[in-house]
Amino acid sequence: MKIFVLNCGSSSIKYQLFNIEQKELLTKGIVEKIGLKGSFLKNKRNDGDSVKLKIEIPNHQEGIKHILDIITDKSHGSLKNLNEINAIGHRVVHGGEKFNSSVLITDEVIQKMEECIELAPLHNPPNLKGIYSMKKLLPDIPQIGVFDTAFHQTMPAKSFMYAIPYSLYEKHSIRRYGFHGTSHRYVSQRACETLNLDYSKQKIISCHLGNGASIAAIKNGKSFDTSMGLTPIEGLMMGTRTGDLDLGVLFYIMNKENLNSKEAYALVNKQSGVLGVSGVSNDMREVEDAARNGNERAKLALEMYFYRVKKYIGAYAAAMGGVDLLIFTGGIGENGPETREDICKDFEFLGLEFDKEKNAGKRGEEIVISKANSKVKVTVTPTDEELVIAQDTYEIVTKL
Ligand code: AMP
């Protein structure tokens, strides 16, 4: 069965085409700079064939048309025609309290997705554009929505409620939702599978450390708590986001710097975090290079980054009454051995015996980086959100 996965952002569309029973990726690609100068499409087939087309792409629907053309192209395509696609899986960022699992997209579902826009005004509209475009272009093919927030819907109220007037939760649904749910679900299940552990009986802490970063406490197979909140700003320090911040600081800055709410939002979302503290970059590799060259602010940014992940691990271990498995994933978690080593330092009191040699091993591959006798197992488990979307899509459409 061929499943086409779409991840539509505000100015980009990422896509992957799977032969899902074999977990085989047939082709993947990206359309970038939609509606901007210099837009292009890049497609890479699994046999290594690669093509980049510089074309004008004024909107998402045009972008998707070009994608469908390239995947059926005689020279660069993977399909003879579009009828070969059995189903389409869409990444949808925010499902609010309306979606706790992946769903077949119907008119009623679209209506509910529209209602979630106010919770994610930057992310959900482009996701919906992808859905509308596909409905127009391939109306007979079933479409499935997979939500970043859905996995975290199992959190208990004590984890998801904010200490604000309860009426605001009732009136505006203001609460912690959490993100990266597809990734946390995948890596936690995958790590248990590879270690032969019973997923339903583990206390797991999953660290998704990418440009956006979040950490999740997963108890007995269910998300119990997570660091991102109503929005992705809360929690860990990130590439450009503050993570946890005394709210008083924000009011103080707004006052001192004369910022309106839009400017303040940009400050905490786009100008802070590793970039803001280091003044170098939001890219960890560049910050690590600067730190190695003696840049004190880069060193500080890294120390703060590690320390905050460490604090959350401690908090979640306490919240769950222990931890059996710690997982690293995301661009930094998968590729940054120094980051993992720093974070895991001094966790012997939890029963974590870190294996430096294994940690220094292969990059970007599934590895166990705790010693054989470590009570807490530690893994590097590369995430694969697109594969999860394809698998969820497969499971739903085979039952239709
Ligand atoms: P993501 O958002 O998951 O794509 O992750 C992006 C982050 O991963 C950036 O901060 C990159 O610098 C970081 N990253 C990617 N590769 C490496 C690497 N080899 N070493 C350290 N950080 C890396």
Side-chain angles (χ1 to χ4, degrees), residues 180 208-212 239 282-286 288 329-339 363 383 385:
H180 294 140
H208 180 113
L209 309 178
N211 194 34
N282 63 323
D283 189 307
M284 265 318 213
R285 285 165 291 198
E286 290 175 25
E288 282 173 356
T329 195
I332 300 165
E334 291 167 29
N335 298 296
E338 298 88 358
T339 306
R363 275 175 183 260
T383 195
E385 292 167 276

Side-chain angles (χ1 to χ4, degrees), residues 6-10 12 60 64 90-95 105 113 120 122-134 143 146-148:
L6 264 189
N7 180 353
C8 293
S10 56
S12 72
H60 284 72
I64 291 174
H90 291 270
R91 176 186 182 216
V92 184
V93 169
H94 218 306
I105 300 175
M113 286 176 176
L122 299 180
H123 293 103
N124 274 27
N127 301 158
L128 273 157
K129 277 185 192 166
I131 292 169
Y132 286 132
S133 304
M134 273 303 189
Q143 304 198 52
V146 180
F147 303 87
D148 279 16

